[in-house]
Every structure is written in structure tokens, then in C-alpha cells.
Amino acid sequence: MKHSIPNPSAEMPAWLTRNVRWFVTDWRVSKLMPITEGGVAEAPCIGLADRTVGWKELQACSGNGVAPFVNVHSLFEHRDGLVYLAHRLDIVQAGEWELLVGHDGGIRMFVDGKHALTEPALLNPLCPARSAVRLPLSKGQHEIVIAFDLAAGMGWGIMFQAHPADSAPRAKTIMIDDLSIGQPSEALSPRREPGHWKVLPYEAQGFSGKCVCALVNTGAPELTIPLNVQGWHAVYLGLGSDGINPKNNIRVKLSGDAAFQHRGQKYGEGEEVLFKCADLTGQDLVIAQQSAGYSQAACLYFVKLVPMTEKEVEALRRDCRQRETKRLISTIDGFSFIYEHMPTTKAELLEEFEPYRGSDFGTIWWQYSGADTVNYRSRLGTIAGENTHDFPRPGDRYFVQAVKTLIERGIDITKVAVEACHDMGIDIHIGMRPCAWKGPPPFEESMSSNFYTSHPEWRCRDRDGTSLTRMSFAVPEVRQHLLGIFREVLDARPEGLNMLYNRGIPVVLWEDAFCDRFRAKYAEDARKVPEDDTRLHDLRAEIMTGWMREVRQLLDSFQREQGLQKRLALSAMCTGTEADNRMAGLDVPLWIREGLIDQIGIWDGGARGMSSQPMDVAYYRRITAGTGVTIHPSQTAWTLPTAEAVLRHSLERYDAGADGLLFWDANAKVDDGLLWPMIGRMGHVEEMRARAAMKGRSWPATGEIRHVGEEPASRWSAWEGF
């Protein structure tokens, strides 16, 4: 049953998908056929209805940063002749469509039996958008047939893309392809020099220019690229690699922005990624290299500015004002960004949050790090690794150095996080990982709590008495200590607090504090009853509900003390199923009935130590019906599959009754030029349906870089000599 959610628009904005191509992946290929004297240019049309040509299925292959490629060479190798490729293309909306064919062997293309395009020449290597045609197509299926010249094995195959043509009346697109105009000029160099961007000439399909690039350890400074335009534009960046590292990253902002954002090259050379839509009047583009922490190479080929129509601008402004789609939640762990980038200023910290501006993320669950390991100056907690001298990883050292520097400069990370979210109109809940007290070797020192070390008597114990690296919530002193941490972060004025029960549960096992309560209640030894004894689960649930009541009381008391009008929220990530919640002592229905909780994240696939059963959205829909408590099934950003799979899974969860979606560590994808613009609008449910209806594999447009410096994009590579 579909869950009805209001949605402002079902139409995909042109600026969102202008740089996206949908590659057709499922084809039928004919048997080998003789080529006539006139060559492929005179090949006749043969349709799928013709059974005499021996149609067989052929799937495009992709990987290692290569867009889906239909490899006919694997079938026919060095044989000469002609083969036909055919596909029934689904057109989801009537209008002008652009069909692009990448090919090395010559082709002749037919659409619905009519000639549409011919390019007979052989050209190696294959260019993904070598030949293109615009055609008016009605909604529904259209038969695409391509005659392909094998050229005695020199023709390897095709790539086929289809996307709606941009037919809106707009001013001319501006292409800034000579980035040697960047300022200050002293930051540029024709040679590889530390502290400079190297300028390299390049040639691409249809244009040429000069790119700027920096190697991993170059330490290139900020570079300002004059834009000299007025009005609203969609800004796209042409990103490349340094030739060594497969993934590259650049920091980019407009001169009027609060902070840099990160964009990465992940899918191909000259990859075109969306930066943002903005009024560029009086603004320039500023780029920088990620040099602190784990430094990254950077290469920028071009900047493309596409003017927006008045209709598009008004739609964008209207979209920014509405709240109906702000139903996404992101978790941010308060560690990884600092670990990777070593921010030591407020502006650098803001880079963690800036990508969420204008998105459908309405809430961020920000974590201060662990249970009582923190990333701010605390009276009660421990800065993870503050007393460590030999770190397991460079990033662990970067984290400690960054946090100590920020504290010395009087910068409170928690307050910066709250202020950043409020500046963007996003709610923020400060989250706790209740089991994160001490890491396993080699992290036993860099991830360790002083409170944990000082109180071994309050740790959880297994059934056989083994002491565990987690503190027991059955111990009142442990709960009071953690309430003290929560009270510290409330001073930053977040909208609520958050418990992440997907990270290490149960937090009540067979320690004395629990066993004593069990004996007092049931007159039996908890260590001797079966592990599935329901009384164990009941008592753990009683203790954990008591903890949730204490947190709720803390929030309500703080609200009264500060004279706040709005109720402070309590959110929690729970396991995927009723059975796993019960095993962990999480009585979620009781929390809802008592009004303790406001927002629930559903962990995908159970929790650590629990089963691996799939999440049961219907169960959560049932227990929250009519209560105002919202449910948000989770997806882990750094394990996301293709864009098409993400859309499919997300729509299934909306249709099952989800109020919104939750992305665990969404910041892991903020530099992904294909996924992030899509993820950021996944509160627009009907827009998601329109995008999901697009058949094929989505892929970013590429600049088809043919020549960089003295090295051409050729099958005869300079690498062969080394």
C-alpha cells in the first residue's frame, strides 16, 4: 500500500539532470552479416521482428570508472562484417530527446524503422558521445536499431545514451575552459611546483582549454576564477584526475558562500558534476586543494554556467521556502570528517555542513563521538586519543591535533554544528553511541574513556562473568554520568538529543547490578536461566525504558529552565525488527505510548550482535500510527549501490509507510557528483518516481578529454615505455 506524502512537484528540474546520462544496458545483437560495397553507410534497416538475423541478448558491461559499454568484440573478435544492435527504448515523457552514440566502428542508426544518424568512419579509441541526434519522441516504446561495422576487429562496440533535451528558452551557456585566468596569477605555474597549480593545455570533444591541477602533496593555495556574469545560473564543474589517483577531490565555493564544498571525480575523466544553482551577480568561483589531513589530488578542466529561466528560478525559490519535503535525516559521527580533513578553523568545520544547504535534509543527528568520548572541551568526557602518543592511523593523530587546536582557539565544535544547522534551517539532534567506551587493539588507547578506565566494577559482563568493553546502563552512576554529558551539549541549544542503539547493544547483560535486580524481582539467578528467558528481556527493557524516561526528563527540565516554547525532541536509531528490539531491551511501543520519543530511525538489516533480518517498516508504521512519531528507514551511504538501486529501495520504503529516509554517514557521498544531487532531493517522492522511470544506468556526462599536455588519449600510451 502506498503511503500518501504531499509533494510539491513531480517534474525533475532540468538543472538536476542536465549532467546525467542514461546508458542503455540491455541489447539484442544479430548474427554476423556481410557488409555491402557501400559499407555501413548504406546498411538497410532490420527490425527486431525479423527473426532471420538470430537476435541474442547482450548486456553492457561497466566498472573501473568506465560507463556501460556494449562489447561486440568479445563475440566476434577479429572477424569482419556487420552486426546489428537493437533495443526497445522507454520514453517516459513526450518531447525532444537527445540520443548519443559512442562508437569506434562506423554506425548507421534507425529509430522506429526510420534513418536517424550515420557516421561511417572508424575512430579509435571510442568516444562515449561521439555522434548525437535530437528527435521528437512520444511517450512509450521506440525501437532503436544500430548497424555496426566490425572493421576486422578494430570496431569494439558502442555506448548508447538517451536523455531529455533542454528545450527551455534560455540565454547561451558560458564555458570557462581556460583556467589560466585564475587569480592570483602567482598561484599558477607551467611546471610542477610545491604551492602552485600547474596549468596544462588539453583538448576535448568540441572544445579545448587549459586546466589547473595539483598532486597529492602540492599544497596548492586558493585560486579565484572570475565569472563576470549576472543573474541565476546552474554551475557545473569539469573534474579530472592527476593520472595516478583514480579518485580526486576539489574544494569549491562561490566568493559569497560561508564555506567550501567538496566535489570529486569518480566516474571518468572530464566528469561534469553539478556544484549548485545560485545568483552569480558579483560573485566569483573559488577553488582549493584538500591539503590538511589526508591530502588529495585535484584537477579542474572547465566551469560551465547555464543560465536559468525565470520559471526555474521561481520554482527553486518556492522549493526552498516549503518544508513538506524536508523529511530526510543524516547522521554525522563527529569524528570522520575531522579524522580525514583535520579542520582547525570554524570555516573548515563548516565544510562538513554546507553540502546540506537547500537539500531535503530536515534533521541532522550529530554525534559528539562516542558514549563519553567527545570532540569538545568537556568537564566529564574524554577527548578520544588525547593521551595517546603512538596512533594506529595518521587520521587518529589528525583528529586529536585538530580538536586540541580548535579548543585552544576557543572554538566549540558542538556549537559550530548547531549554528551551522540553524543557519540552513535544519534541526539538529546531538547523538550518543552508548557502547563506544573503549576500542579493540590497536585502538585500545586512542579510543578510550577515562571514566571507563576508572570504573571496571560498572562494566557489562557476559554470562560467564567475562568483563566487556562497555558500561552497564543498569548502574545508576553510569546513567548519571551520561546524563551529565547530554546536559553539557544541551547548552549549544540543539532541537533534541539522540540515541544510536544500532551501535553496540545490549548495554545491559549479566553484571552484578542487573543480576541483583533480577534476583530481587524473580528470586532466581539471571546467569542460570536460559538466555531466551523472557524475564531477561523484560528486565532489560524496564532498565532501558527507565533510561529513556531520564533523558526525556532532562529535555523537559532544560526546556522549562530556558523558557523554550518548542518541545525538545528525543530520537533513536532502533533495530530493524520487533524481535531484535526486544532482545536488546528496547521497548519502542512503550516509549511511544509514554510520549518519550519523537523520531525513529530504523537500522537496515538488524544491529551488531542481533539478527540479520530485513527491516520491518510495516511494524513501525503500525506502532506509530496516529501518534506523530515519524519513522525513517536507514541506508548506509558508504555502501550505496547504483543510483537506480538507491531509488528503487527508497521508493519501496516510502510505499511501505516511511515518513522519510535516513542516510547513515550521508557525508560520505557529498562529493559524489552523480549520487549527492539525487540523494539531497529524496524528500521529493514523486520526482523520485519520475527519475526511477528512466530506464538504463545513469552516469555523469564527461568532457571527452582527448589530449592532455603532450599525451594524447590514444591506444598507444606513454606508459608502455615505463
Side-chain angles (χ1 to χ4, degrees), residues 341-643:
H341 301 295
M342 202 171 76
T344 56
T345 66
K346 180 178 179 179
E348 290 170 349
L349 281 174
L350 291 176
E351 293 180 28
E352 172 92 86
F353 302 93
E354 190 64 21
Y356 295 93
R357 189 180 298 276
S359 72
D360 284 343
F361 284 92
T363 308
I364 285 178
W365 289 359
W366 165 263
Q367 298 140 60
Y368 52 75
S369 190
D372 79 333
T373 52
V374 299
N375 57 16
Y376 63 92
R377 188 192 296 275
S378 172
R379 183 175 54 86
L380 299 172
T382 305
I383 296 172
E386 65 179 344
N387 298 316
T388 304
H389 302 290
D390 188 14
F391 291 91
R393 304 166 296 185
D396 298 303
R397 183 176 68 254
Y398 299 154
F399 174 85
V400 174
Q401 289 175 344
V403 171
K404 286 184 175 180
T405 300
L406 290 164
I407 289 173
E408 289 170 1
R409 293 176 174 175
I411 300 171
D412 186 313
I413 295 179
T414 307
K415 289 182 179 179
V416 171
V418 172
E419 290 169 2
C421 289
H422 290 175
D423 182 59
M424 296 183 288
I426 296 174
D427 288 349
I428 181 170
H429 299 180
I430 308 295
M432 174 190 296
R433 296 188 175 208
C435 194
W437 297 91
K438 186 180 183 69
F443 305 100
E444 74 278 8
E445 294 180 16
S446 63
M447 296 182 179
S448 183
S449 154
N450 293 338
F451 182 83
Y452 166 89
T453 302
S454 299
H455 295 287
E457 73 278 14
W458 293 338
R459 297 174 191 170
C460 287
R461 291 186 177 273
D462 207 345
R463 187 183 178 90
D464 63 1
T466 301
S467 179
L468 305 173
T469 52
R470 59 183 70 184
M471 302 294 274
S472 174
F473 276 52
V475 177
E477 291 86 350
V478 171
R479 299 197 306 276
Q480 286 303 308
H481 176 69
L482 293 178
L483 287 171
I485 297 289
F486 264 165
R487 179 59 184 83
E488 285 184 343
V489 298
L490 280 176
D491 283 335
R493 298 297 183 94
E495 276 69 36
L497 297 174
N498 168 251
M499 292 298 301
L500 294 167
Y501 290 121
N502 59 315
R503 278 299 193 252
I505 49 173
V507 286
V508 178
L509 288 168
W510 286 274
E511 50 280 0
D512 289 345
F514 174 77
C515 290
D516 290 347
R517 284 184 64 165
F518 190 90
R519 185 178 293 105
K521 188 166 188 174
Y522 300 112
E524 288 193 58
D525 187 343
R527 298 183 182 92
K528 294 181 179 179
V529 302
E531 287 198 22
D532 60 356
D533 190 309
T534 58
R535 295 173 299 174
L536 293 174
H537 304 327
D538 290 343
L539 185 55
R540 286 181 183 133
E542 180 181 308
I543 291 168
M544 294 308 298
T545 298
W547 160 252
M548 294 295 282
R549 289 173 183 144
E550 290 169 346
V551 178
R552 180 75 263 163
Q553 290 166 5
L554 172 66
L555 287 165
D556 294 344
S557 296
F558 185 82
Q559 179 186 349
R560 289 192 298 271
E561 291 169 9
Q562 302 299 318
L564 304 177
Q565 297 299 311
K566 185 179 177 182
R567 167 185 163 103
L568 294 176
L570 177 55
S571 57
M573 181 78 87
C574 301
T575 77
T577 67
E578 179 181 13
D580 279 349
N581 280 342
R582 179 159 173 73
M583 187 180 298
L586 309 181
D587 192 345
V588 182
L590 181 57
W591 301 350
I592 294 168
R593 289 196 301 273
E594 291 192 7
L596 304 179
I597 196 167
D598 304 278
Q599 197 177 62
I600 297 173
I602 311 171
W603 185 240
D604 189 6
R608 294 178 182 180
M610 299 290 107
S611 76
S612 57
Q613 293 298 311
M615 66 169 65
D616 187 352
V617 179
Y619 162 70
Y620 281 98
R621 181 77 269 154
R622 188 167 62 253
I623 63 175
T624 58
T627 66
V629 177
T630 59
I631 58 172
H632 304 259
S634 71
Q635 300 179 68
T636 302
W638 32 270
T639 63
L640 290 179
T642 64

Side-chain angles (χ1 to χ4, degrees), residues 5 97 147 336 468 491 500 646:
I5 297 179
W97 282 70
S336 297
L468 305 173
D491 283 335
L500 294 167
V646 174

Side-chain angles (χ1 to χ4, degrees), residues 235-250:
V235 183
Y236 302 88
L237 309 173
L239 302 181
S241 74
D242 62 353
I244 301 173
N245 299 284
K247 303 290 188 290
N248 289 256
N249 185 286
I250 197 164

Side-chain angles (χ1 to χ4, degrees), residues 309-371:
T309 65
E310 290 184 8
K311 182 180 178 181
E312 288 174 329
V313 173
E314 177 51 35
L316 189 64
R317 285 173 166 161
R318 187 169 58 249
D319 202 47
C320 290
R321 291 192 296 267
Q322 57 85 25
R323 297 294 301 173
E324 289 89 348
T325 67
K326 310 300 181 182
R327 54 176 69 99
L328 305 183
I329 300 173
S330 171
T331 69
I332 302 180
D333 63 21
F335 176 84
S336 297
F337 182 87
I338 305 171
Y339 166 97
E340 292 176 3
H341 301 295
M342 202 171 76
T344 56
T345 66
K346 180 178 179 179
E348 290 170 349
L349 281 174
L350 291 176
E351 293 180 28
E352 172 92 86
F353 302 93
E354 190 64 21
Y356 295 93
R357 189 180 298 276
S359 72
D360 284 343
F361 284 92
T363 308
I364 285 178
W365 289 359
W366 165 263
Q367 298 140 60
Y368 52 75
S369 190

Side-chain angles (χ1 to χ4, degrees), residues 23 25 59-70 159 642 697-699:
F23 283 81
T25 57
Q59 286 291 317
C61 54
S62 65
N64 297 322
V66 178
F69 170 62
V70 186
M159 294 177 173
T642 64
R697 174 78 182 276
S698 58
W699 203 265

Side-chain angles (χ1 to χ4, degrees), residues 33 40 87 130 134 158 175 226 270-271 273 296-297 304 339-340 349 365 395 405 463 465 592 603 607 616 628 633:
M33 304 175 72
V40 70
H87 171 81
R130 176 181 168 187
R134 277 194 179 198
I158 69 164
M175 191 78 161
E271 178 184 334
V273 303
Q296 293 183 281
K304 181 186 286 188
Y339 166 97
E340 292 176 3
L349 281 174
W365 289 359
T405 300
R463 187 183 178 90
I592 294 168
W603 185 240
D616 187 352

